[in-house]
Amino acid sequence: MVGHQGKIKKTNFNYWMSAPHATAGKQSTLLIHGFGGTYSGLESLAGMLAEHSNVLGLDLPGYGLSEPLRAKHTLSNYAHFLDEFCATTEFHKVNVVGHSFGADIALVFAALHPDRVDKLVLISPVIFGDKNFIKLARYYYMAVAKMPPPLRHRLLHNHFLSWVSAYVNLQNADEETRAKILRDDYVSDHLMTDRPLIEGYFSLLATPFLTRAKPIEAPTFIISGDADRLSPVREMEHLQAAIPKSRLDVVSGAGHFLPIEEPRKVHNKIQKFFAE
């Protein structure tokens, strides 16, 4: 993947392409990473998809090497940013693949900017999740948002909490992969800024995903694991029913980090969908 820098509305951001320029005759695919992550978390999947597609990946504004937005970090504002990103590159209409929070953004992007999305892949979108976990997280972020900046930063970037969260949501990774995922989490955690985390989480809670899903025009493929605590199968079924041209694939024994733990399995499913 070739690294690039861009600027949209005074926000500097970093993105990567599978080649310096688009290859004629190939599909183009945009990857959107999850909450607290960076593009690097989907790099293995990107490399596999690049065999058949022009692949783009970026650090979302406020994550990794990209600056925060000047506006609030809502799902809608991220969707508008992606629209402008496509407008300023040679990739005006793309297949979109989002994971977790990135799938939430991808869903809103497809709803607000249908002319940009050819096919849509939502991997473990977080649309409701465990109610007790959401309630606890809401109180946590509400409390943290009111704290003085130094203490707020320390709590938002607590390595122990990051480790517990990642470890609980891992299912099928071997020890080497598990260690790499945890190391990558520590690195991405150091690169994150506070405001995007807080604003992004509250936007997630406030978004009516099933309502947003109904006008989506693009053929949609939802992938989730039956051991995913953040994207339970029952909720994925509700989402699939709300999107007109969609289907759901539930992977046995898989958890929330499916595209990172088992990128080859995810790639094969996505590539089959793209080839239809």
Side-chain angles (χ1 to χ4, degrees):
M1 299 291 282
V2 181
H4 297 267
Q5 292 183 322
K7 190 171 187 176
I8 293 175
K9 291 184 177 178
K10 300 182 179 180
T11 296
N12 294 303
F13 66 97
N14 280 52
Y15 67 100
W16 290 261
M17 292 169 49
S18 54
H21 302 285
T23 302
K26 276 191 172 184
Q27 297 175 317
S28 297
T29 301
L30 172 65
L31 299 182
I32 310 175
H33 67 77
F35 193 75
T38 65
Y39 156 75
S40 64
L42 297 176
E43 196 165 14
S44 295
L45 178 60
M48 296 173 189
L49 290 171
E51 297 172 11
H52 303 280
S53 178
N54 300 302
V55 177
L56 302 94
L58 74 163
D59 286 348
L60 290 169
Y63 293 83
L65 300 175
S66 297
E67 294 178 347
L69 295 171
R70 298 302 193 264
K72 281 191 174 183
H73 295 81
T74 63
L75 299 184
S76 294
N77 283 340
Y78 274 128
H80 297 325
F81 176 87
L82 293 176
D83 174 54
E84 295 190 55
F85 172 67
C86 290
T88 57
T89 65
E90 55 198 304
F91 305 96
H92 300 301
K93 190 167 187 177
V94 293
N95 296 323
V96 179
V97 178
H99 172 233
S100 189
F101 182 67
D104 299 340
I105 294 172
L107 186 156
V108 175
F109 179 46
L112 294 180
H113 301 283
D115 56 318
R116 294 291 185 204
V117 181
D118 190 4
K119 291 188 175 181
L120 177 65
V121 179
L122 306 175
I123 309 173
S124 301
V126 181
I127 60 172
F128 298 111
D130 180 85
K131 300 301 185 289
N132 291 328
F133 175 81
I134 287 178
K135 183 182 292 186
L136 179 63
R138 179 189 290 114
Y139 289 141
Y140 174 77
Y141 278 95
M142 286 175 63
V144 166
K146 296 176 182 178
M147 292 178 178
L151 179 58
R152 179 180 66 207
H153 186 80
R154 189 176 302 175
L155 288 172
L156 285 174
H157 303 271
N158 185 297
H159 282 178
F160 176 72
L161 292 179
S162 297
W163 183 87
V164 169
S165 176
Y167 202 87
V168 165
N169 286 296
L170 290 168
Q171 292 292 326
N172 296 326
D174 55 42
E175 286 306 315
E176 182 178 351
T177 303
R178 189 179 293 263
K180 180 183 182 304
I181 291 171
L182 293 173
R183 285 197 304 271
D184 288 348
D185 275 356
Y186 290 149
V187 172
S188 61
D189 183 70
H190 278 297
L191 294 171
M192 286 186 297
T193 48
D194 297 350
R195 187 168 64 87
L197 286 175
I198 295 171
E199 293 174 351
Y201 186 77
F202 284 124
S203 178
L204 187 156
L205 291 180
T207 299
F209 287 103
L210 297 185
T211 301
R212 284 286 197 187
K214 290 177 181 178
I216 290 176
E217 299 174 2
T220 302
F221 185 31
I222 304 168
I223 310 173
S224 191
D226 64 1
D228 190 336
R229 297 176 178 87
L230 296 179
S231 307
V233 172
R234 188 174 182 179
E235 293 174 7
M236 298 301 97
E237 291 171 343
H238 290 319
L239 180 61
Q240 187 274 322
I243 300 175
K245 294 183 287 186
S246 67
R247 69 172 185 261
L248 170 65
D249 187 337
V250 178
V251 182
S252 177
H256 195 65
F257 287 97
L258 178 60
I260 303 172
E261 292 185 83
E262 301 187 71
R264 176 59 65 182
K265 180 180 289 188
V266 173
H267 161 265
N268 292 343
K269 292 177 180 294
I270 292 174
Q271 195 54 50
K272 184 178 178 181
F273 172 63
F274 285 168
E276 293 175 353

